[in-house]
Amino acid sequence: MAAPGQPRCASYDAIVIGAGIQGSFAAYHLAQRRRDTLLLEQFFLPHSRGSSHGQSRITRSAYPQEHYAHMMPHSFRLWQQLEDEAGTPLYRRTGLVVLGPPGDPKLEGFRRNMGPDDVLDAVTLAQRFPGLRPRPSEVALWDGSGGVLLADRALRAVQDAFRRRGGTVRDGEKVLRIDPGAVITVTTTAGLYRAPRLIITAGAWTNAVVAPLGLRLPLQPLRIDVCYWREKEPGSGGAVTPCFMATGLPYAPHGIYGLPALEYPGLVKNTPDGDFILDQHPKYSNIIIGAGFSGHGFKLAPVVGQLLCELSLGEEPSHCMAPFAISRFPGVLRAAL
């Protein structure tokens, strides 16, 4: 134990930088495999500076990209395992309606990965969800597995499960320096830590963390405005308000989605959507990077965390990693500063 005023110094089997939902699940999976793991967070927990805070996140099986569609059943199973372990609900099923014009590439991608019985005609849609009024000729698809993840509760649950497995969380410690090698040294504002493997899940701060390691990823941190719309008539959306997504909108090229706002009953929350980086550092194979979750990573965090864990341990990944490779971006590796 460090003397008063002296920096901490300790060694671990693994270090994870960033205690958002992705990093917390990566640490959780490492601890499940009996790896002594340190989870570092620059802000004091809980905080609202990243992208994992808030009451609710949408979840769904429907995806236009096949690789995400294949990952979602696995993710649902892992969420259920965590819910059982935590002994508290983490998910509220509401269903999901996907709206879009016929022929829209994203909508047709959804349709390919869903069944023929998942199409809602205009009459059925109006009867079940009178608050949703598609434009003429729009197609409506139904994903019965869709719903709302209770985000803050889920983040606490996975961090608590990590601690129960012997994991160490150190918050309020900003990373100042990473020295790569067979044993990596991470220096923070409060200590110096060593481990043979490192996972970086630093969200909007990822490039600041990896730049001294000679890497510049094509990431653009975005501020996402969340809007709350009050129902004109309470309950007018129907007995159960579903989540919804709308694609192919000329005035919103990334689409919009909405979900029942559990924070404020009687309101609905909207935001936009994008893709992931899950890979080894091109030069340092014992440094793993998870980034670019683009507003749709929360629902997949249990699987993402497992994949990051598997990469760090040299295990065979549970899913195809080709869509998430850093190599798809040319010129990202630069000389270390």
Side-chain angles (χ1 to χ4, degrees):
M1 185 173 181
Q6 294 297 312
R8 300 189 186 100
C9 187
S11 295
Y12 296 88
D13 295 328
I15 298 172
V16 179
I17 297 174
I21 194 67
Q22 313 294 346
S24 295
F25 262 112
Y28 166 81
H29 284 291
L30 284 162
Q32 271 193 325
R33 288 161 170 76
R34 301 182 184 278
R35 297 315 199 273
D36 185 15
T37 304
L38 171 65
L39 178 59
L40 288 170
E41 171 55 49
Q42 64 176 322
F43 302 114
F44 287 103
L45 297 170
H47 68 82
S48 59
R49 303 287 294 274
S51 58
S52 295
H53 70 283
Q55 293 293 311
S56 54
R57 293 291 188 282
I58 195 170
T59 188
R60 53 189 162 102
S61 295
Y63 254 107
Q65 304 97 328
E66 285 192 15
H67 48 281
Y68 292 130
H70 291 158
M71 291 165 70
M72 277 310 303
H74 187 189
S75 191
F76 272 112
R77 290 194 301 273
L78 292 177
W79 277 119
Q80 185 63 59
Q81 288 176 20
L82 180 63
E83 189 175 75
D84 293 342
E85 181 177 346
T88 187
L90 302 178
Y91 165 61
R92 174 185 168 193
R93 179 175 292 192
T94 64
L96 168 77
V97 176
V98 181
L99 300 166
D104 174 73
K106 196 168 184 180
L107 180 84
E108 296 306 325
F110 278 114
R111 203 201 299 249
R112 279 193 304 273
N113 292 319
M114 299 172 72
D117 297 332
D118 295 326
V119 179
L120 296 177
D121 59 50
V123 174
T124 303
L125 181 67
Q127 288 174 343
R128 292 178 63 180
F129 309 116
L132 293 177
R133 299 177 184 175
R135 295 174 297 174
S137 80
E138 272 193 326
V139 174
L141 306 176
W142 173 248
D143 175 3
S145 71
V148 178
L149 286 166
L150 308 180
D152 280 344
R153 190 184 297 181
L155 184 59
R156 285 195 303 272
V158 69
Q159 290 173 354
D160 288 346
F162 168 65
R163 288 187 181 98
R164 284 194 298 272
R165 286 166 169 76
T168 302
V169 178
R170 298 208 182 278
D171 58 352
E173 291 196 32
K174 183 177 181 180
V175 171
L176 301 177
R177 180 183 176 92
I178 299 171
D179 294 302
V183 175
I184 301 159
T185 301
V186 177
T187 305
T188 75
T189 49
L192 185 148
Y193 309 105
R194 294 185 177 91
R197 55 188 63 84
L198 171 67
I199 296 176
I200 299 171
T201 51
W205 294 269
T206 296
N207 268 327
V209 174
V210 303
L213 300 173
L215 200 60
R216 180 70 183 178
L217 299 173
L219 302 173
Q220 182 181 2
L222 296 175
R223 176 189 174 94
I224 302 299
D225 292 321
V226 177
C227 305
Y228 292 87
W229 303 87
R230 186 178 300 279
E231 292 177 340
K232 290 182 178 179
E233 299 176 19
S236 61
V240 177
T241 303
C243 301
F244 69 87
M245 299 181 65
T247 185
L249 302 173
Y251 50 84
H254 297 290
I256 62 171
Y257 64 81
L259 58 156
L262 305 183
E263 305 95 311
Y264 307 107
L267 302 180
V268 174
K269 185 166 75 173
N270 298 337
T271 62
D273 206 43
D275 221 330
F276 301 175
I277 294 172
L278 308 173
D279 204 355
Q280 298 172 330
H281 187 289
K283 186 175 180 182
Y284 309 114
S285 61
N286 58 346
I287 297 178
I288 310 300
I289 298 164
F293 298 106
S294 307
H296 69 116
F298 200 101
K299 70 182 75 63
L300 283 159
V303 178
V304 167
Q306 181 170 325
L307 291 170
L308 293 171
C309 169
E310 291 165 346
L311 286 173
S312 74
L313 296 175
E315 297 177 359
E316 183 69 23
S318 302
H319 297 271
C320 175
M321 300 302 292
F324 313 121
I326 289 176
S327 60
R328 72 187 194 267
F329 304 115
V332 298
L333 186 62
R334 302 180 180 185
L337 299 179

